[in-house]
Every structure is written in structure tokens, then in C-alpha cells.
């Protein structure tokens, strides 16, 4: 838990050339902490620190660096050093590093791997992007059900060093089909002479390598596991996924959801390290789509141009009225998108949701409508800004608000269902998207209400 | 991984009164699965199923039920059954159950606990809401550094059953101060005769019980642990937090962030189980605040009433122009809020962000301005809707768009920094909030630009 605090001290040690103290200090740290410091040094100092790390720590530290720094480091060390790092780093972290690189770069690094690791790397990268397979590590302990607990413990002592986790041990048959998962507590609590079979309940939760990685988050959340086995289509154990990787996935998915909801394509990279042209492109895409959609408001307004010129007072409330529809729509959409993402609400619950939202929308509309009316009444008591027909204007605004808030709430809550039903991502119904939709229809509602209420007076 | 699929079969078994098969089936399941099924049964059937579960499974299943069902169940079983459930369930799950209840209810249940558990429950509830202490369980294995590995393994075999995790074992001194944490792998891989001291490196990552639980998510993400020790102000070990609970916290925090961003107070409960009055209240609060803020648009428009009545064409573009500002502002705010939440961007980086956003805003404004101008030029080629001065109108709209998108982008990106600087939650700068802010200023920009460009022609 040091990181940033000790950076000046480390820089001083490097400047003084006091390699002995430096070696002692950094080798006592956790990889995550070394990586935090290394990530903030400039290129030559970075290499100096990495080179005095003990081998295991160096490979682990490398895995914690951000991708740009990783690329830099690999590019500036010798070929054999690069090969050593890549062969030593955990296979799941290696996949995470390789999968985002341009193919020719990624091929170059894969070429440095020794034959076994190369095959591992390729087979992991063969799984689709965002699949469970990409999160997987093949470093786990699998035992046979015929073994005794003593044999298992000996095996763990002999082979445990390479395993990503020793918290769970897997039982497989001769064909490497998964039979059971045993938590280390079950093994430690069993008499050493008993056989694995005796403590197997053949009850386990597993993932398929081809499943979406989002599902891994759900399964981990539901079953509270620290690691889950991953099988292929034939039920053969091909790897494990550990909870710490899933926590990262959960955060990434939340970021994606939030960014989509904010009305832009997910960046998929930290804000600061996304190149500007790429960021502008991802933002411009949605902004232009929304802009083109919003152009319909100009068309709608043009349709009512005659009414506006007759009663300019109507134009004054346009922003207030359409934004209320947009806001209530955004609220409803947020609630439903998140509830769908967490599985609190399912597609077939749409009718229950409509009922709730109808009532919510009605109440919210009544509240805003009343406030809107009061504001116009109050202002008119002290000025003539809303003219002699202010009462009718007030009624128009109040009724429009009721209608538009209700409409916005229903639209906002149903759009995610509709998108999901069509096989699209419900999160696409972002706040700006809902607002745009409701803006256009809101104008039509407003002016229609006005034409009914104000006919014969202002219009 | 069954849950919903087997519900009809279970209902059939209950209806047929085939208790033997029912007992056999459900006792072979995971608590999470039993809870899914039990949560969907009506009250009498629910009790029937819970009562045929083996004791350990029953307590665990209870912990997985949602809170409303938990309250129902406890209220309908006998006093001694309720006491048994509460005494048996994991302390951290019990805290989660008790903390959201009204005080008198929570006191009633605490009264049923036996003295030891009662003290545990009270001490956990003594920590502040959303603190690490509330996530903690006191069920862990702590050993002395003088012990041999063999002694540790014997101790684990004797006392391991009550521990929440055996993946990590803690080393404490005579005063119960934390000295080290040992992953089970280190113990399994060490020679059984060596002493705990020999494998201690006195290097560990820990949490403070009084820290915010959000911080637990960050620490777990950084150090990739499955469990972390929690200490009091004096460095004494008081409990542990496990990663599975932190995954839930991460999801809850993301939900809160998303709901705030959607422009409403966080519900803190699943959508479907939030009572309607409470939901409407949480939504109405922000909706009314935004509405009152948005009223300024009516004031701003009123200020330019004379211009609008002279050139009604100007009114037509009001929704298009202000929404573009709102959309670009929402985008920028989303990016920055999330980046701040994940620690990718810090307060003092505000200047780097301004620079980036100035450039982004300029580019995005140019894109939208160009499209806006082209649209007016195109329509005017085929109709007279925008009058003889369409070229000037087009230039007005284009310049306003450039200004407003730039302004929206800067406002949206700086607001989260400002809020954070003031000690407020950056996520309060929700999409609707940013949009409202930008709407009012956007109108002023639009009409000011119009008064400069159209003076002498339309105005």
C-alpha cells in the first residue's frame, strides 16, 4: 500500500546509483506496488528497477503494468529477456496483454514463446473476445478420484507452485472430464487416509469456455466462489477462472454500461490513455446520430410555426417542457437498464414494469405539472409577461407536462425491453437517446394540447 | 445452476406430499440454488422446504434469500427456530440482514442471539454504514508465529469448520496484533516441521474496519486477493473480508453510480422490491430540482421574446441546439465521473483534462456545426421554410452549435472535478443535471450569436 508515496525516494536512490538499497527495498514489495512505481518512472529508470527484481517478482510486476508500458518495456529489453518475461507471466495475464495488440505485434511476441507456452497462448486466444476462455488459466491442480488425501497433499506440495490457486482442487476422470471440485478446506478437514472419492459429492458449478464473460460475473456473484472450473463442449476441464479476474470484468462491464448510458460508444481503455482521434470518433458517432434524430424537432417546430408566431409565449416553455420529458425518461431507462443487467427484472416482467411506471409517471407528471402551473400563476401576479390569457397558458403547460412526463417515463422504461427483445444491448437506450426520442414527441404533445386549449383565444 | 428451471417439479412434489423425494432432491443442491427456488414459493411451501433441509444448508440458504423473504420467514417460524437460524448464519450475512431493518425489529432479532453471537452482532453493527466493518466476519483462523506447520494443520483440522475461508491464515502476536497473512499455498508448500515464523515475510495488505467499503474494492482490485484481514486503530486483527462480498459491493456501487448518473437518488434496493411511494419520492426529488433549474430557460427565452417574435425561424432550432449542448455535456461528464471513480484520473489532473476536452469539444462542435449548416442549406435549396436569409440563419446555427458543444463539453468535464473538490460525490453531476445547466447557458449563447449575425437583416 505504498505506490505513489515513495516515488521521490525511489527516484533519489536511482539518481544516487545506490543499487543495493534499491534492490533491498523493491524486492520487499508486492508486485502491484512495484508496478505502480515502475509505471511512473521514465523508460531507462523503469528498466533499471525491473532488472534488479527477483525473477518471480519481475514477471508478476510486468503483469500488473498497463498495456502501453508493457509494450514499451518488451520493446526495449533484449530478445531473450522479452522471451523470459512472456514465458514466465501467468497465462491469463498474457492473454489480456496479447489480445489487444495489433495481430502482427501479437504474433511477434507469441513467436518468442517456447513450444508449450506458445500452444497455451494460442489456444487461449482462439476463444472469442469477451468469452470465458479469454479469462482462463490452464494452471490448476487436477487429481484422480482414486487417490488418497495424503497423495493429493503430496501432489500439491510437488506441483502447487505453478498453480494459479490452491484454494480449489479439481477431480477428473481418465478422459479429463470434470467430476467434482474440492475446496481446500474439504481436503484439509478430511482424514489423510480417506480417498478423494469419499469426499466427492459430484456437485459442482462450472463455466463453459465459450460463454460470455459477463455470465462469469453472474455465476460468481450467485455462488460466492473464489475460482470456477471451465469445461469445453464435452465436459472436459480446460482451465479455471479466478474471482480476482472476475472483479476486473465486473468493473469493466460497469464502465461500459455507464459510458453507453452517457451516450457514447464504450472506450474500452482508460480515459487518459485513449488517443484523442479515437475518443472523438467514439463520441462523434453517437453525437451525430442523436443530432440527426434531434433535427426532427426542427421539423416538428416548423410544422407549428404559424402557432408560434401567433403566440410567441408558447415558444418560451419549449425547453422546459421537452427537458422534463427527457429527464423522466432518463430516470426510468436507468432503472430498467440496470435492473435488466443485474437480472432483477426479466423480459417477461415488462407488464409489471409498465404498471409500476404508469403510476410513477402519472404521479411525477402531476407534481411537475402543478409546479409549472404555480410558477406561471405566480409570475403573472406580478407581471404581464404571459399576457392576459396566462390562466389558459398555465393550464396548457400543466397538461402538457403531465402528458409528457408520463410519456417519457413509459418510453424510457419500455425502450430497454424493446431493445433486449430485438437482441440488442438494452444499455444502448442511453439518456441522450431517450431524451431525443421524447423531445420530438414531446413537442407534438405540447402543441397539440395548446391547439385544443388555446383555440379561439391565443390561437 | 438450476433455479427457475425446476420450480414446476418442486411444486409438484410439494403438492403430491412426496416429502422423501423432495428432501433428497433439495438437500443435494447448493444454498444459492435452494434460495432461488424457495424465494419463488408461497409462504407455507417455503417453510415446508426450509424445514426439510439439513441444518447447515438451511442456515446458508436463509442467508441467500432476499431481505423481504428473510423477514417473512423469521416472522413465521417458531421463536426457537428463528433463534437457531440467526445464531447459525454467517456473521457477515447476518449484519447485512440486520443493518437494513428498522431498529426495533433488528433489536428483537438480536435479542434471540446467544450471548457470544449477540456481542459479535452488536460489535459489527457498531461500525458505520458502508464501512469495511459492516462487511467483516470474525470467523477466521489465526495462529501464533511460534507454531510449527504441523501444528497449524492440526489446528485447521480441528477449528476449520467455523472459518469463513481457509484460503488465508493469519499470524498474530500475543496481543492479537496482525503480523502476517499466509496463503494456504505457502503452508501447504512448506515442510511440516518448519515453524510459522520461517515462512513469515511480515508483508501484508490489510484494511481498517472504519474505512469506507468502496476502498475495499480498490484494494482487492489492486492486490488480487481472495480475503483481506481487517484491523482496528491499534493494528489488532478484528476480522476478515472475503472477495465474494466485495464483488457484491462493487456491483452495488456501480448501480448507485449509474442511478445517480441517470438523475435520481440511488434506490439502494432492487427495482421490483422498492415500494412505489419511496421510488416516486427518490425520483421526484431530482426531477423537481432539475425542473426548477430548467425554469431559467423560460426566463432566458422571455428575455429574447422580442427577437423570437421578429424571427420565429430562430425558435425552430432551439430544441436542436440546446440538446446538442446537453448531449456533449453528458458524454464528457460520464467519462470523467467513471475515470474519477476508478482512480484513472485524479483531482490534480484537471488541467490535462481541460486541454483534452477543449480539443475534443472543438472538433465535435465543428462536426455538428457543419452538419447543421448543411441541413439548412439543403432544405433551403428545395423550400422557402427558412426564408430569404437562410444563409445567415445557417451561419447562426453553425456558430451557435460550435460554441454550445464546446461549452457543454467543458462544463460536463469540469463539473465532476468541481463537485469532488467541494467534497461532494462527482456522480451527482448526472446527465440531466449537466443538460439543465447547459440548456440555460446554451440559449444565451444562441440568441447572442443570432443578435450579432442577424442584426440589420432579420433582427
Amino acid at each position: 500500500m505504498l505506490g505513489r508515496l515513495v516515488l521521490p525516494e525511489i527516484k533519489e536512490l536511482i539518481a544516487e546509483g545506490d543499487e543495493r538499497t534499491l534492490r533491498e527495498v523493491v524486492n520487499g514489495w508486492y508486485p502491484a506496488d512495484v508496478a505502480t512505481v515502475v509505471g511512473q518512472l521514465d523508460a531507462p529508470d523503469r528498466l533499471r528497477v525491473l532488472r534488479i527484481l527477483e525473477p518471480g517478482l519481475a514477471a508478476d510486476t510486468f503483469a500488473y503494468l498497463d498495456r502501453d508500458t508493457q509494450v514499451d518495456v518488451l520493446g526495449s529489453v533484449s530478445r531473450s529477456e522479452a522471451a523470459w518475461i512472456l514465458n514466465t507471466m501467468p497465462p491469463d495475464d498474457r492473454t489480456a496483454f496479447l489480445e489487444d495488440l495489433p495481430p502482427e505485434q501479437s504474433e511477434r511476441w507469441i513467436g518468442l514463446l517456447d513450444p508449450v507456452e506458445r500452444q497455451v497462448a494460442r489456444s487461449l486466444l482462439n476463444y472469442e473476445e469477451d468469452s470465458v476462455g479469454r479469462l482462463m488459466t490452464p494452471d490448476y491442480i487436477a487429481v484422480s478420484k482414486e487417490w488418497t488425501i495424503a497423495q493429493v497433499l503430496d501432489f500439491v506440495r510437488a506441483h502447487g507452485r505453478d498453480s494459479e490457486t490452491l484454494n480449489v482442487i479439481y477431480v477428473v476422470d481418465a478422459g479429463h472430464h470434470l467430476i467434482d471440485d474440492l475446496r481446500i478446506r474439504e481436503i484439509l478437514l478430511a482424514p489423510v487416509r480417506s480417498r478423494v472419492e469419499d469426499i466427492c459429492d459430484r456437485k459442482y458449478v462450472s463455466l463453459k469456455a465459450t460463454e460470455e464473460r459477463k455470465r462469469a460475473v453472474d455465476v460468481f456473484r450467485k455462488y460466492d466462489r473464489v475460482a470456477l472450473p471451465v469445461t469445453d463442449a464435452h465436459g472436459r476441464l480446460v482451465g479455471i477462472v479466478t474471482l480476482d479476474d472476475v472483479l476486473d470484468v465486473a468493473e469493466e462491464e460497469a464502465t461500459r454500461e455507464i459510458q453507453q448510458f452517457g451516450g457514447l460508444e464504450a472506450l474500452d481503455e482508460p480515459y487518459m490513455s485513449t488517443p484523442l482521434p479515437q475518443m472523438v470518433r467514439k463520441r462523434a458517432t453517437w453525437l451525430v446520430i442523436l443530432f440527426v434524430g434531434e433535427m426532427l424537432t426542427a421539423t416538428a417546430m416548423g410544422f407549428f410555426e404559424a402557432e408560434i408566431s401567433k403566440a410567441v409565449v408558447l415558444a418560451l416553455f419549449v425547453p422546459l417542457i421537452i427537458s422534463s420529458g427527457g429527464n423522466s425518461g432518463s430516470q426510468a431507462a436507468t432503472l430498467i437498464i440496470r435492473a435488466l443487467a443485474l437480472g432483477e427484472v426479466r423480459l417477461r416482467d415488462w407488464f409489471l414494469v409498465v404498471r409500476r411506471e404508469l403510476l410513477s409517471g402519472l404521479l411525477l407528471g402531476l407534481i411537475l405539472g402543478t409546479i409549472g402551473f404555480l410558477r406561471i400563476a405566480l409570475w403573472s401576479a406580478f407581471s404581464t409577461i404571459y399576457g392576459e390569457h396566462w390562466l389558459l397558458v398555465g393550464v396548457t403547460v400543466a397538461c402538457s407536462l403531465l402528458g409528457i412526463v408520463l410519456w417519457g417515463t413509459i418510453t424510457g422504461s419500455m425502450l430497454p425491453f424493446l431493445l433486449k427483445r430485438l437482441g440488442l444491448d438494452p444499455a444502448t437506450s442511453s439518456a441522450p437517446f431517450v431524451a431525443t426520442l421524447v423531445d420530438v414527441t414531446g413537442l407534438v404533445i405540447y402543441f397539440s394540447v395548446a391547439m385544443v386549449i388555446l383555440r379561439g383565444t391565443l390561437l
Side-chain angles (χ1 to χ4, degrees), chain A:
Chain A
M1 312 227 243
L2 334 116
R4 194 162 296 272
L5 291 169
V6 295
L7 190 61
E9 284 76 8
I10 294 299
K11 280 188 174 158
E12 212 179 296
L13 287 175
I14 296 174
E16 287 168 1
D18 185 352
E19 208 157 279
R20 220 183 101 207
T21 317
L22 190 64
R23 185 189 305 268
E24 232 170 73
V25 170
V26 291
N27 276 302
W29 291 351
Y30 284 113
D33 289 323
V34 184
T36 308
V37 169
V38 165
Q40 291 171 82
L41 296 172
D42 47 24
D45 288 350
R46 195 185 284 160
L47 285 189
R48 204 165 305 162
V49 173
L50 284 174
R51 280 188 173 129
I52 61 169
L53 294 176
E54 284 155 14
L57 183 58
D60 285 346
T61 300
F62 180 81
Y64 277 101
L65 295 172
D66 64 61
R67 225 208 31 228
D68 292 348
T69 317
Q70 287 178 325
V71 171
D72 267 14
V73 168
L74 277 196
S76 50
V77 296
S78 73
R79 216 180 124 83
S80 69
E81 281 174 316
W84 181 84
I85 291 175
L86 289 166
N87 277 306
T88 316
M89 71 189 289
D92 47 351
D93 294 330
R94 191 171 53 207
T95 310
F97 167 65
L98 293 171
E99 69 178 354
D100 290 328
L101 293 177
E104 67 282 4
Q105 259 200 59
S106 139
E107 270 310 310
R108 187 179 141 213
W109 300 128
I110 293 175
L112 290 182
L113 294 171
D114 54 37
V116 176
E117 291 297 324
R118 193 180 308 163
Q119 215 216 310
V120 168
R122 279 206 206 286
S123 72
L124 292 178
L125 283 169
N126 256 342
Y127 292 103
E128 262 181 79
E129 223 189 307
D130 293 336
S131 70
V132 167
R134 288 279 180 103
L135 296 175
M136 213 165 61
T137 173
D139 292 345
Y140 54 85
I141 299 266
V143 300
S144 156
K145 70 177 180 348
E146 276 84 34
W147 293 8
T148 63
I149 298 298
Q151 276 179 298
V152 170
L153 289 172
D154 285 344
F155 185 79
V156 167
R157 287 206 183 89
H159 297 93
R161 258 174 232 293
D162 301 328
S163 172
E164 171 96 6
T165 180
L166 289 185
N167 302 329
V168 192
I169 281 167
Y170 300 92
V171 186
V172 292
D173 68 10
H176 218 73
H177 297 91
L178 183 61
I179 298 178
D180 203 359
D181 59 348
L182 296 175
R183 278 184 273 186
I184 195 72
R185 72 183 312 145
E186 299 172 78
I187 291 167
L188 290 176
L189 298 177
V192 289
R193 295 222 180 143
S194 59
R195 296 205 315 156
V196 169
E197 206 164 15
D198 304 333
I199 58 170
C200 278
D201 58 4
R202 293 179 171 261
K203 186 170 88 178
Y204 58 86
V205 179
S206 66
L207 296 167
K208 293 248 167 291
T210 47
E211 280 177 310
E212 264 190 273
R213 63 180 200 164
K214 256 191 226 170
R215 208 180 113 64
V217 181
D218 297 338
V219 175
F220 271 95
R221 276 209 326 142
K222 174 157 187 191
Y223 293 96
D224 291 342
R225 294 311 175 87
V226 294
L228 282 178
V230 183
T231 59
D232 64 11
H234 307 288
R236 280 184 297 245
L237 183 61
V238 289
I240 61 168
V241 172
T242 50
L243 182 48
D244 53 296
D245 297 325
V246 171
L247 182 61
D248 294 337
V249 172
E251 293 281 72
E252 276 172 43
E253 292 292 336
T255 302
R256 235 183 241 198
E257 208 178 301
I258 290 173
Q259 291 181 346
Q260 284 185 324
F261 186 74
L264 74 161
E265 228 180 291
L267 289 188
D268 287 330
E269 267 183 87
Y271 171 80
M272 281 296 199
S273 50
T274 308
L276 197 70
Q278 191 182 322
M279 196 171 68
V280 171
R281 210 196 55 234
K282 291 202 165 184
R283 287 160 75 162
T285 313
W286 260 108
L287 222 46
V288 168
I289 294 175
L290 293 170
F291 186 74
V292 171
E294 192 77 30
M295 277 182 182
L296 288 174
T297 58
T299 312
M301 294 280 283
F303 197 74
F304 297 109
E305 200 177 354
E307 282 73 24
I308 298 172
S309 59
K310 266 194 257 172
V312 175
V313 67
L314 282 181
L316 307 189
F317 297 103
V318 163
L320 179 65
I321 284 180
I322 61 176
S323 74
S324 301
N327 291 345
S328 49
S330 303
Q331 282 194 340
T334 327
L335 287 173
I336 302 305
I337 291 170
R338 190 61 183 163
L340 282 170
L342 292 180
E344 290 170 8
V345 163
R346 283 169 313 265
L347 255 188
R348 58 170 144 157
D349 296 329
W350 72 271
F351 190 68
L352 293 173
V353 172
V354 165
R355 248 180 19 197
R356 266 181 96 89
E357 290 303 309
L358 221 94
L359 216 59
S360 305
L362 215 58
L363 286 169
L364 294 170
L366 274 172
I367 296 173
L368 293 197
T370 309
I371 300 178
F373 180 81
L374 289 177
R375 140 90 198 230
I376 291 176
L378 205 70
W379 257 238
S380 299
F382 300 102
S383 77
T384 55
I385 182 168
Y386 302 133
E388 54 169 335
H389 295 295
W390 66 265
L391 191 68
L392 287 177
V393 172
V395 172
T396 303
V397 168
C399 291
S400 303
L401 279 170
L402 176 60
I404 285 166
V405 170
L406 181 60
W407 170 243
T409 307
I410 297 293
T411 311
S413 60
M414 288 300 108
L415 196 63
F417 281 102
L418 184 69
L419 288 170
K420 186 157 185 176
R421 185 69 194 75
L422 296 174
L424 300 169
D425 187 347
T428 320
S429 49
S430 58
F433 183 34
V434 171
T436 302
L437 245 166
V438 175
D439 277 359
V440 180
T441 43
L443 285 172
V444 177
I445 295 179
Y446 177 42
F447 284 107
S448 307
V449 169
M451 280 165 76
V452 171
I453 296 182
L454 301 179
R455 178 169 310 273
T457 52
L458 279 168
L459 297 180

